[in-house]
Amino acid sequence: MSEQDCIFCKIVRGEIPSRKVYEDDQILAFHDINPAAPVHFMIIPKKHIASLGEAEEEDRDVLGRIMVMTGRLAREQGSTDGFRTVVNTGRVGRQDVYHLHVHILGGDKPLPGMIHKSK
Ligand code: AMP
Ligand code: ZN
């Protein structure tokens, strides 16, 4: 999947609309189109990194920034008492979109023990 065809790169470039949660020079957060919890958004690096399995040393800064932003953005979205982060990776991890993304799932009630993919 090239950056040209990547759906999340298209969102970064503004070619596909998204419901934006946060943006800075390195990262973008937007709501998941098919939410699995009352609060469900994703944080992505603007740089195309196909998966966590392909992250490199030079990606350390942007990945750190993503993790540091999770708490603030989750609280701002109404998940004030905790949340879950999920990074599906590769075939075994059932990754669907091959542009690294951290799911943030939450709300005001405890989540199920595990989030299962429906299909
Ligand atoms: P994953 O299975 O971890 O690769 O998750 C991909 C996620 O991207 C799924 O939860 C989809 O609902 C979500 N998704 C796919 N296309 C879009 C889109 N255009 N805008 C927002 N979320 C999307
Ligand atoms: Zn991409």
Side-chain angles (χ1 to χ4, degrees):
M1 170 73 68
S2 75
E3 293 176 38
Q4 205 54 39
D5 302 327
C6 169
I7 183 168
F8 286 178
C9 282
K10 288 184 178 176
I11 287 176
V12 168
R13 293 195 296 264
E15 294 166 15
I16 291 179
S18 68
R19 286 177 55 221
K20 202 176 290 182
V21 168
Y22 173 82
E23 178 172 20
D24 64 28
D25 56 328
Q26 281 191 300
I27 70 175
L28 175 68
F30 55 95
H31 291 280
D32 196 294
I33 206 166
N34 186 21
V39 172
H40 185 181
F41 61 95
M42 290 174 284
I43 314 180
I44 69 170
K46 286 188 167 178
K47 174 193 171 187
H48 182 84
I49 304 168
S51 81
L52 189 58
E54 277 149 86
E56 297 181 8
E57 188 64 28
E58 67 183 33
D59 303 321
R60 189 196 273 244
D61 188 48
V62 68
L63 296 181
R65 185 182 290 220
I66 287 172
M67 296 317 265
V68 164
M69 287 303 290
T70 55
R72 182 188 126 188
L73 297 181
R75 280 189 296 277
E76 285 177 5
Q77 293 303 312
S79 205
T80 54
D81 196 19
F83 55 91
R84 179 175 297 156
T85 47
V86 175
V87 187
N88 297 318
T89 303
R91 180 180 63 86
V92 170
R94 300 277 302 272
Q95 184 176 359
D96 288 327
V97 176
Y98 277 79
H99 180 130
L100 197 164
H101 50 282
V102 176
H103 294 264
I104 286 85
L105 299 137
D108 54 7
K109 288 197 279 294
L111 296 164
M114 262 297 189
I115 300 283
H116 294 283
K117 287 203 169 184
S118 50
K119 54 185 168 57

